Amino acid sequence: LVFTIALFVGSCESSTRLFFKALLVSGTLALALTFFAATRDGVPVSTQHSFTHGFVNPNNASAYLGIMLLVTLGQIARFFKVPSKSFYKMILNLIDQLKMTVILKGGGLLFALLMALAGLFLTGSRAGILVSLVAAVFFCLMALRKADLESRIMKWIIAAAVVIIVVVMTWSFLNFGQVITFKLERNGVSSNMRLDIFSAVRPMIADHPLLGTGLGSFPSAFQQYRPADISSDGIIDKAHNSYLEFAAEMGVPAFLVLMAALGWVGYQLYRGMRDRRERYVIPTLGLSVWLLGALYSLVDFPLQIPGIA
């Protein structure tokens, strides 16, 4: 039902723009309520009391917050329309267009951006923060490239953007980066357990290359391949790499068909971004979210969570 509604909404670009606005408003409101609930006793220093309420784990919270960050950047890109190729005329046009509604909208977008960044750092997810920032940088670079501005103006905009990004990121990290700092000090930048799981899934694929073990069978099928050096407490129900898990469950042929379908989606989004001279923000946003999901699925399972997918 959700997928059908999404296709219906996406069939018309104007409805898609309204959908993204509604997602931004409702998402920011939810983030703000969660933020004040999570920080009512001060900024947390561990993921036990961090910005993960209502999510499966901090990593999936970071995936959602990364998507919200990209949606906010998409609305900001549509907010700053630069029709003039003169930098000074551009500044004058922005000043001329200043109205209370524009100021309120700009303030709302800034608030949404800060909420997404603060929440992202509060999750403490190392991979989630890194992948989200990579996707955000990708979106910004593609949007600037499509703006078709003179090189001199582009340099001014890039310089101003870098300064703003550094200030906002520094403010967000200094105020809300205790969780990620605590996690880095305790676990470092990588998780050895995940690497052990990845290694154990490969023989699982090799033993069932054609038909796999069956969809949804990973929690039970993996137990005989479970490394001895991983604690026996609890069941490992995810491979923390969606590609390996799907290949193990579906078999290699079906997995390749699935990858071809997802690759086709990415290619269509790329074509939309490449071929459009105007209204390129939505396909660029779509490609950025696609990139976030594709990269994050290497180390976790965001697209296996229905709300995020």
Side-chain angles (χ1 to χ4, degrees):
L1 177 63
V2 171
F3 187 66
T4 303
I5 292 173
L7 287 176
F8 176 75
V9 168
S11 64
C12 175
E13 187 156 346
S14 59
S15 65
T16 304
R17 289 196 294 269
L18 290 174
F19 172 76
F20 280 130
K21 289 179 181 178
L23 178 62
L24 180 65
V25 172
S26 61
T28 302
L29 178 61
L31 294 182
L33 292 173
T34 308
F35 173 81
F36 292 118
T39 59
R40 64 180 180 270
D41 297 323
V43 178
V45 295
S46 73
T47 56
Q48 299 299 321
H49 306 284
S50 67
F51 205 89
T52 60
H53 307 291
F55 294 97
V56 175
N57 57 34
N59 299 320
N60 286 287
S62 68
Y64 174 78
L65 286 156
I67 293 171
M68 285 302 302
L69 176 62
L70 291 172
V71 170
T72 304
L73 291 174
Q75 292 295 336
I76 290 174
R78 295 189 66 245
F79 178 73
F80 287 103
K81 296 178 180 177
V82 190
S84 173
K85 292 192 175 184
S86 168
F87 182 76
Y88 301 105
K89 288 183 179 179
M90 179 187 74
I91 298 298
L92 292 175
N93 287 336
L94 288 175
I95 294 175
D96 289 340
Q97 293 173 7
L98 281 181
K99 299 177 182 177
M100 185 55 66
T101 54
V102 176
I103 294 173
L104 290 175
K105 185 176 180 180
L109 290 174
L110 178 61
F111 178 73
L113 180 67
L114 294 176
M115 279 289 98
L117 283 172
L120 191 61
F121 282 118
L122 283 174
T123 64
S125 173
R126 295 155 295 180
I129 293 171
L130 178 62
V131 170
S132 297
L133 294 181
V134 167
V137 170
F138 173 81
F139 174 84
C140 293
L141 291 176
M142 293 301 102
L144 282 174
R145 184 170 175 266
K146 292 295 294 183
D148 194 26
L149 300 171
E150 290 181 354
S151 59
R152 185 166 56 91
I153 299 177
M154 184 75 76
K155 291 177 182 178
W156 276 101
I157 292 177
I158 291 176
V162 168
V163 172
I164 293 172
I165 289 171
V166 169
V167 170
V168 171
M169 289 289 294
T170 302
W171 177 86
S172 301
F173 183 78
L174 291 177
N175 286 278
F176 309 107
Q178 290 92 325
V179 176
I180 183 63
T181 302
F182 173 79
K183 198 168 184 179
L184 286 172
E185 290 175 351
R186 187 182 62 181
N187 300 330
V189 296
S190 64
S191 175
N192 292 330
M193 189 184 76
R194 290 192 186 182
L195 296 177
D196 294 335
I197 295 174
F198 298 165
S199 299
V201 175
R202 295 191 186 102
M204 185 176 171
I205 298 172
D207 290 345
H208 307 86
L210 294 180
L211 298 178
T213 60
L215 286 174
S217 66
F218 184 85
S220 57
F222 179 72
Q223 298 312 306
Q224 60 180 309
Y225 298 93
R226 183 172 182 153
D229 55 349
I230 293 181
S231 173
S232 59
D233 297 334
I235 295 176
I236 297 176
D237 59 350
K238 301 290 183 186
H240 292 277
N241 181 312
S242 294
Y243 305 110
L244 290 176
E245 185 172 335
F246 289 158
E249 291 186 345
M250 303 170 67
V252 175
F255 170 72
L256 293 177
V257 172
L258 175 63
M259 290 299 100
L262 295 175
W264 177 81
V265 171
Y267 175 68
Q268 293 298 323
L269 291 168
Y270 168 73
R271 282 187 58 196
M273 179 190 73
R274 180 194 64 188
D275 297 341
R276 290 188 178 194
R277 295 184 62 85
E278 298 178 352
R279 297 186 299 172
Y280 53 82
V281 172
I282 287 178
T284 306
L285 174 61
L287 185 60
S288 301
V289 173
W290 182 90
L291 178 66
L292 184 149
L295 292 177
Y296 207 173
S297 294
L298 289 168
V299 292
D300 214 79
F301 48 94
L303 298 184
Q304 293 172 251
I305 304 300
I308 296 174

